[in-house]
Amino acid sequence: RGHFPNDYTATKLLYLAIKNLAEKWKRPPKDWTAAMNQFAILFDERIRAVQN
C-alpha cells in the first residue's frame, strides 16, 4: 500500500499518467481503444470534468 490509501487512488494515478503520455505517442498501442473505454467507465466523472 505505501503511499496510496486505497487501490482506487493508485489506479487513478496510473490512468492520468498514461493519458499524459498518450498525447506524445505517434501511434497508439494495440488495443488502446479497449483500455481507454475501460478507463472511461472507471473515471467517468473525472473525464467529464476535464472535457467541460
Side-chain angles (χ1 to χ4, degrees), residues 5-48:
N6 56 41
D7 291 340
Y8 179 77
T9 56
T11 306
K12 181 171 61 174
L13 179 66
L14 288 172
Y15 166 76
L16 294 172
I18 291 170
K19 187 172 184 240
N20 288 336
L21 287 172
E23 295 173 0
K24 298 177 185 175
W25 292 337
K26 295 182 183 192
R27 222 174 66 182
K30 183 180 177 183
D31 299 326
W32 180 243
T33 303
M36 285 303 292
N37 288 337
Q38 184 65 33
F39 286 134
I41 292 168
L42 292 171
F43 303 109
D44 184 49
E45 305 87 32
R46 289 195 172 258
I47 291 172
R48 287 184 193 187

